[in-house]
Amino acid sequence: MDSMAPDWAKDVRIEDLQNQTIHDLAEVVGVETAVEIVATYSGMVIYIPKLDSIYRTLRDRKIKEEYDGNNAQQLAKTYDVSESWVRRLVGGRLDGQMDLFDFVDGKANL
């Protein structure tokens, strides 16, 4: 992506940033990136979601990957969610409950 900031903006120093929000942003991402964000989004209102929203998708994917049919309670504790949330993520199955595909895939131990 081409820079929206003018060439001379590369000389901006953190002490040049009078707006406290932009100053704080520059401390996190660096002055050059902060200036680029301002140049790109000037005048817009930008909503920054809670950090949890970033992790939610990863957490849910990990729960699905780690679910073995008998560990809903442990996963709920590990990921700080309810057991019912774990069961909803994995398709509503109760611990130990088999589904039709367990027979097709040869996973059923009869």
Side-chain angles (χ1 to χ4, degrees):
M1 182 169 114
D2 293 330
S3 176
M4 299 287 293
D7 289 338
W8 53 265
K10 66 181 178 293
D11 296 327
V12 172
R13 297 183 198 149
I14 198 160
E15 58 267 15
D16 296 329
L17 303 173
Q18 298 300 307
N19 179 288
Q20 189 61 49
T21 301
I22 303 306
H23 188 275
D24 293 347
L25 180 64
E27 288 180 342
V28 174
V29 301
V31 173
E32 188 175 338
T33 301
V35 169
E36 189 61 38
I37 290 169
V38 171
T40 303
Y41 298 102
S42 284
M44 292 184 192
V45 175
I46 299 175
Y47 170 75
I48 308 287
K50 287 187 171 186
L51 186 59
D52 180 59
S53 67
I54 294 171
Y55 295 134
R56 190 175 304 127
T57 302
L58 171 63
R59 178 203 66 203
D60 292 352
R61 178 172 48 84
K62 291 182 77 56
I63 289 171
K64 289 176 187 177
E65 291 170 355
E66 295 173 23
Y67 184 71
D68 66 9
N70 296 305
N71 62 345
Q73 184 177 25
Q74 179 58 42
L75 290 171
K77 287 179 182 178
T78 299
Y79 292 102
D80 195 27
V81 295
S82 68
E83 284 184 60
S84 62
W85 179 250
V86 172
R87 288 193 185 95
R88 262 184 280 167
L89 283 173
V90 298
R93 292 191 289 173
L94 299 174
D95 284 354
Q97 182 180 17
M98 295 187 299
D99 67 23
L100 178 62
F101 297 105
D102 290 335
F103 291 99
V104 175
D105 296 337
K107 294 178 186 174
N109 293 324
L110 300 176

